[in-house]
Amino acid sequence: MKMRSWLFAPGDSERKMQKAVEGAADVVIFDLEDAVATDNKPAARELIRSFLDANPAARSRIFVRVNPLDGPYTLQDLAAIMPGRPGGIMLPKAYGRQDVEALDKYLSALEVANGIDCGSTPVIVLLTEVAECMFHAGDFKGAPRLVALTWGAEDLADSIGAQSNRNPDGSFAFTYELARSLCLLGAATAGVPAIETIQADFRDSDGLKARAEGVRRAGFRGMLAIHPAQVEVINEAFTPAEDEIAHAREIVDLFEANPGAGTIGWKGGMLDRPHLSRARQLLSQVDWD
């Protein structure tokens, strides 16, 4: 499954959900949390369920962001949408691994009740929206259903009482860069892709391109989007270029031709096993389909 672009669509807008699904996003996230006012949540649940029922071919790429487990709405969300067999669940405001394990139990019961293969509904976790989870980013190895980790800066600022999450030049302040790094390290520890958080200014395509390319070089494998206009930029940024692919294949072929070698001279320099590992990781991104 490709995980380059994850496009949010509010769960109370059938038009926006339809537009999101018709676009090029690898994953579409129907939102029941921040994008939906409290009074609209019941109607949004039913709208998402109806959409899933009416679009079975699209279900595999539709995740639903439910409300956080420390609030009163999560079970209502899950009970309403799981009969529609969504492709996955996004868990916001996680406090730690225990939230993923609790969600796993809820999902298992609902899968059995609805004739869905038990354990088949994957989960992506938003892991830095509350301060406490910053201390548990490395605890998700082997967590049930986990397929990716992502992070957030806006709710984290609220969690710690910050007036802003930005430096005067517009870059993320230290605490939020730390959150990004912990997400990346936590994902690597868990063996799942790290997904970059949103860029709020959807009109700044150049800034989005530069940021997406930068975080991909750092190790991220995809990025959240809030507007369809961001999707193509993200997809391109997280798709390895032809010269990168050729370079990686050359390294893999070289080591396969010399299976006992720990280091190999190449183009005036030396290659070792970490170079081979990085080459294989890049090629795995090409083989997502």
Side-chain angles (χ1 to χ4, degrees):
M1 176 184 181
K2 289 183 179 180
M3 295 186 180
R4 300 167 302 177
S5 51
W6 300 65
L7 176 61
F8 283 105
D12 58 355
S13 172
E14 185 175 7
R15 178 183 65 84
K16 290 181 179 178
M17 289 193 292
Q18 185 66 47
K19 184 175 182 180
V21 168
E22 290 173 351
D26 292 334
V27 183
V28 174
I29 307 168
F30 291 168
D31 194 10
L32 282 171
E33 193 208 11
D34 289 344
V36 179
T38 300
D39 290 346
N40 290 346
K41 290 186 190 295
R45 293 183 192 112
E46 295 308 313
L47 198 58
I48 291 175
R49 165 68 187 280
S50 296
F51 192 100
L52 291 167
D53 287 343
N55 296 273
R59 289 174 186 161
S60 63
R61 57 190 279 258
I62 297 174
F63 277 52
V64 178
R65 177 162 72 169
V66 296
N67 285 278
L69 285 172
D70 64 353
Y73 304 117
T74 316
L75 287 177
Q76 296 175 54
D77 294 343
L78 294 171
I81 64 172
M82 284 304 293
R85 300 171 180 253
I89 300 296
M90 172 178 272
L91 178 64
K93 298 180 178 65
Y95 283 80
R97 181 193 180 101
Q98 69 275 11
D99 284 353
V100 183
E101 293 171 342
L103 178 61
D104 170 57
K105 291 181 173 62
Y106 299 150
L107 289 173
S108 294
L110 288 164
E111 285 167 340
V112 170
N114 290 284
I116 302 168
D117 290 343
C118 192
S120 64
T121 307
V123 171
I124 177 174
V125 174
L126 270 159
L127 90 130
T128 67
E129 291 188 305
V130 296
E132 182 176 327
C133 198
M134 294 275 281
F135 297 98
H136 301 289
D139 295 348
F140 290 86
K141 185 175 183 178
R145 303 177 183 269
L146 188 69
V147 293
L149 290 176
T150 187
W151 69 286
E154 301 306 322
D155 285 294
L156 179 58
D158 181 61
S159 176
I160 63 180
Q163 295 181 352
S164 173
N165 55 29
R166 302 281 179 168
N167 294 314
D169 65 359
S171 62
F172 280 120
F174 172 79
T175 299
Y176 309 92
E177 289 289 358
L178 175 62
R180 172 189 275 153
S181 295
L182 288 173
C183 175
L184 182 60
L185 293 168
T189 300
V192 299
I195 307 300
E196 171 68 344
T197 193
I198 65 164
Q199 175 165 300
D201 184 358
F202 62 85
R203 297 177 182 86
D204 183 10
S205 295
D206 291 340
L208 174 62
K209 181 176 184 291
R211 179 172 157 195
E213 289 175 347
V215 296
R216 183 175 84 88
R217 287 193 298 271
F220 282 83
R221 294 293 172 256
M223 186 170 179
L224 306 179
I226 60 167
H227 192 279
Q230 297 178 314
V231 169
E232 291 289 358
V233 177
I234 291 171
N235 283 347
E236 182 178 354
F238 285 95
T239 299
E242 290 300 321
D243 59 338
E244 292 180 284
I245 296 169
H247 180 88
R249 284 183 173 149
E250 190 172 348
I251 292 173
V252 170
D253 290 345
L254 191 60
F255 273 95
E256 287 181 350
N258 298 273
T263 60
I264 299 175
W266 188 62
K267 296 184 177 180
M270 296 295 294
L271 298 174
D272 55 17
R273 291 286 164 173
H275 291 95
L276 175 61
S277 176
R278 288 196 293 271
R280 285 174 171 162
Q281 288 181 54
L282 185 139
L283 292 177
S284 73
Q285 297 170 48
V286 181
D287 297 332
W288 268 324
D289 287 332

